[in-house]
Amino acid sequence: MTLILNTVAVIGAGTMGIGIAQVAASCGHTVLLFDINPQALEQAKHSLTERLNKRVQQGKADAQATKQLLARITLVNTMAELAPAQLVIEAVAEKLAIKQSIFSELEAICQKNTLFASNTSSLSITAIASQLKYPERFAGLHFFNPAPIMKLVEVIRGRETSNTVIEQLKSLALSWGKTPVICRSTPGFIVNRVARPFYAETMRALEEQVGDPPTLDSVVRDAGGFSMGPLQLTDLIGHDVNYAVTDSIFQAFGYDPRFQTSFEQLELVQAGHLGRKTGRGFYHYDENKPLTQATIAEKVILPHAPAVTAHGNWQSFPEFAQLLKQNGIPLEESKIDNPNPPTLFVNNVIVMLTNGELTSVRAQKMNQSMVQFDLSADYAKATTIAISCAVQNSVQDNQNVIAFFQSLNKDVIVLPDYPGLLTMRTVAMLCNEALDVVNKGIATPEDTDNAMRYGVNYPKGPLAWGTELGWQHILHTLEQLSQFYADGRYRANPLLRQLVAGTRRLDAKEIQ
């Protein structure tokens, strides 16, 4: 039987709690807001009122609708006053014992069919529910900050959670204009788990002195197509928060090297350089000084433009192919079953997408000068392209390739000969982790990709991206990195190997 959720209680009046209360009230629910600190409760309602009234003054919101929204949020001073609620959402500190105590108390207060949900981002839903008499009515309902704006909600199933409760919470999230994804309780759920490599690969590159923060961020953001660079984003999140999540997942997975924490980030935390909120992290935030910029190759002026041709199968890079055509570069007519990877010839230099090997090693195998370029979500829209050059190349070889990419109106970042460059190895690891989520039945392919697109604004879902690139390329990249580092971090997921072997398939409809 479907429970009508007229009254929603929210416990915790912090940023997430008041944001969830606003979402529920804006959709017509009566909201009971409770916090153990009465001053925090009053301040939260006051701040919300000021913020919403400012939107009215700016002409961005209707005055009457705003007044009604605020009137639907009632502040309560005791847990007992939450008895009428049909749904209680907890959004307090990430302490297991505190959450267990809250819901144990609620069981004695609320009706037997009241739904209980936690907004936890890291704690086990099964563990929180373990102290309840009726754990089947308990689930995770993980919103993303800011809750009124972010579309994604992770609906998390504990070991005892009933299917009916999951369906009710999914329907509720849809009615609130959210994009719900369903997953089993697992460390980090979908987003915080799959996203770990996004930060980790750039931090490893920083530790290995591949580039400075603005250059590495530019590779992933301006060349790769992500909305923010990883170091820029961790400065925004706060290193205390980001490091704690990584460390929690690292421990929960038995110190698996896939989730290895960064010593560079730990030092920032120990120094109190937590990012924007302290004025210093990977960057220095000084109002009187602009942030440092990426190192871009100087403009190359050649007496004659290099001869450029394109060969191989460009099916996976339609934007790049279009960019070449627009700039008068002839493309060899390639069929979809053409096994040859897309290849540019710039005079006598082979230019190819990185496959995880060192450029110099690849050049030696081919016995020819070589440059590798990094992955991009959209080569046509990207303002920048990242490359690495083989040590065997002449200076003129490298200058010719840089000049060619500059002729396509791209800034060029020249990285050291680093295996897999940066965006390619990051995406390969994101694909690998997303496949692990699917392989272990934690979430469907569709929900996994939606979680990453709507929860952290990735340009493409990892599974859609891997399918587009070809799983063989992802596997080869990881195998090369695994061989290079020999630390277990880049080991390929079994599902990835099965996809390459053709013994498993992902439904194309689920990952578009």
Side-chain angles (χ1 to χ4, degrees):
M1 181 177 177
T2 301
L3 182 67
I4 298 174
L5 306 176
N6 292 323
T7 303
V8 175
V10 178
I11 300 177
T15 301
M16 291 306 300
I18 192 64
I20 295 167
Q22 179 186 339
V23 171
S26 68
C27 293
H29 297 271
T30 297
V31 178
L32 305 175
L33 181 63
F34 170 75
D35 195 286
I36 197 170
N37 183 344
Q39 290 181 328
L41 194 61
E42 293 288 347
Q43 181 58 45
K45 181 71 177 289
H46 177 73
S47 297
L48 177 63
T49 302
E50 282 195 332
R51 188 165 65 252
L52 295 183
N53 283 338
K54 185 176 181 180
R55 288 181 56 80
V56 172
Q57 294 166 8
Q58 294 171 335
K60 297 178 179 178
D62 177 75
Q64 184 62 25
T66 298
K67 183 178 179 181
Q68 291 172 349
L69 185 159
L70 291 167
R72 284 192 285 269
I73 301 176
T74 300
L75 307 184
V76 300
N77 297 312
T78 65
M79 292 267 282
E81 294 174 83
L82 304 181
Q86 288 94 34
L87 168 65
V88 182
I89 304 173
E90 163 273 313
V92 303
E94 291 286 88
K95 303 287 185 183
L96 178 61
I98 293 174
K99 293 178 188 291
Q100 287 176 330
S101 175
I102 286 172
F103 287 106
S104 292
E105 187 175 346
L106 285 170
E107 271 202 317
I109 293 170
C110 298
Q111 306 166 58
K112 287 185 178 181
N113 61 350
T114 298
L115 304 188
F116 292 159
S118 174
N119 184 57
T120 181
S121 61
S122 61
L123 297 177
S124 166
I125 298 303
T126 299
I128 298 172
S130 65
Q131 304 300 306
L132 298 178
K133 295 178 182 177
Y134 305 104
E136 64 274 8
R137 61 164 154 172
F138 183 81
L141 202 59
H142 181 213
F143 291 78
F144 288 74
N145 191 28
I149 296 174
M150 295 297 286
K151 287 289 187 183
L152 188 74
V153 175
E154 289 178 317
V155 182
I156 304 125
R157 182 194 305 277
R159 183 168 287 273
E160 307 297 333
T161 310
S162 76
N163 291 333
T164 301
V165 169
I166 292 297
E167 288 304 316
Q168 285 182 296
L169 292 178
K170 178 182 177 181
S171 296
L172 178 69
L174 287 169
S175 73
W176 287 357
K178 301 298 183 182
T179 301
V181 294
I182 297 172
C183 68
R184 285 198 295 110
S185 184
T186 185
F189 310 135
I190 303 174
V191 173
N192 279 327
R193 174 180 175 174
V194 175
R196 289 307 98 199
F198 179 73
Y199 313 107
E201 289 308 305
T202 299
M203 288 185 197
R204 171 168 256 186
L206 183 68
E207 290 175 345
E208 296 179 359
Q209 303 182 69
V210 174
D212 58 14
T215 301
L216 296 176
D217 272 345
S218 183
V219 170
V220 178
R221 181 189 62 238
D222 305 320
F226 288 85
S227 58
M228 293 183 75
L231 307 180
Q232 172 191 17
L233 181 54
T234 51
D235 267 9
L236 179 64
I237 294 168
H239 292 287
D240 51 342
V241 175
N242 187 264
Y243 183 86
V245 172
T246 302
D247 190 46
S248 172
I249 293 174
F250 186 39
Q251 292 183 44
F253 279 95
Y255 301 98
D256 190 317
R258 284 156 50 212
F259 304 106
Q260 175 70 53
T261 53
S262 164
F263 183 70
E264 189 81 17
Q265 189 177 36
L266 175 59
E267 280 208 310
L268 288 178
V269 174
Q270 292 172 334
H273 302 322
L274 306 182
R276 284 184 176 271
K277 59 188 174 185
T278 61
R280 185 175 174 186
F282 287 120
Y283 296 86
H284 289 251
Y285 298 92
D286 186 337
E287 292 181 0
N288 300 316
K289 295 180 181 179
L291 294 178
T292 51
Q293 299 298 306
T295 302
I296 303 296
E298 293 184 5
K299 183 70 175 177
V300 175
I301 306 297
L302 299 175
H304 303 288
V308 181
T309 57
H311 301 265
N313 183 4
W314 290 85
Q315 296 291 332
S316 297
F317 301 99
E319 301 93 349
F320 204 155
Q322 186 62 33
L323 180 67
L324 295 174
K325 289 178 181 178
Q326 289 173 351
N327 283 271
I329 309 300
L331 266 69
E332 176 192 87
E333 287 295 326
S334 56
K335 298 179 181 179
I336 199 162
D337 59 351
N338 187 336
N340 297 318
T343 306
L344 293 166
F345 290 88
V346 180
N347 283 1
N348 64 329
V349 184
I350 296 176
V351 181
M352 300 178 76
L353 175 69
T354 177
N355 68 348
E357 294 182 75
L358 288 167
T359 309
S360 302
V361 170
R362 214 171 174 188
Q364 186 176 19
K365 288 179 180 178
M366 294 186 171
N367 195 30
Q368 194 165 347
S369 298
M370 186 165 195
V371 169
Q372 292 192 100
F373 58 89
D374 207 351
L375 182 64
S376 176
D378 188 332
Y379 288 99
K381 292 181 179 178
T383 61
T384 307
I385 193 157
I387 65 172
S388 67
C389 307
V391 295
Q392 300 95 320
N393 295 4
S394 69
V395 172
Q396 190 60 56
D397 287 336
N398 298 340
Q399 292 289 88
N400 286 340
V401 175
I402 292 170
F404 162 67
F405 281 121
Q406 289 175 339
S407 74
L408 303 180
N409 295 316
K410 305 296 181 187
D411 288 330
V412 179
I413 293 177
V414 182
L415 294 178
D417 190 2
Y418 192 59
L421 298 191
L422 190 52
T423 304
M424 182 70 244
R425 65 194 283 164
T426 298
V427 170
M429 286 290 280
L430 292 172
C431 289
N432 203 43
E433 202 54 46
L435 288 172
D436 194 54
V437 166
V438 173
N439 196 42
K440 292 178 178 173
I442 291 161
T444 65
E446 180 181 19
D447 279 354
T448 301
D449 265 7
N450 280 340
M452 305 316 294
R453 288 175 58 225
Y454 296 107
V456 277
N457 199 30
Y458 285 178
K460 299 178 184 180
L463 300 176
W465 210 339
T467 300
E468 179 183 289
L469 278 170
W471 294 114
Q472 179 62 60
H473 193 91
I474 300 295
L475 177 60
H476 188 79
T477 299
L478 292 174
E479 287 181 333
Q480 292 300 316
L481 291 169
S482 185
Q483 181 179 335
F484 182 84
Y485 286 101
D487 62 1
R489 176 172 175 150
Y490 301 97
R491 67 184 187 277
N493 185 269
L495 178 54
L496 174 56
R497 295 189 181 279
Q498 290 171 316
L499 289 171
V500 172
T503 60
R504 293 274 298 274
R505 293 185 64 186
L506 294 179
D507 187 343
K509 295 180 180 178
E510 291 187 307
I511 55 175
Q512 290 181 345

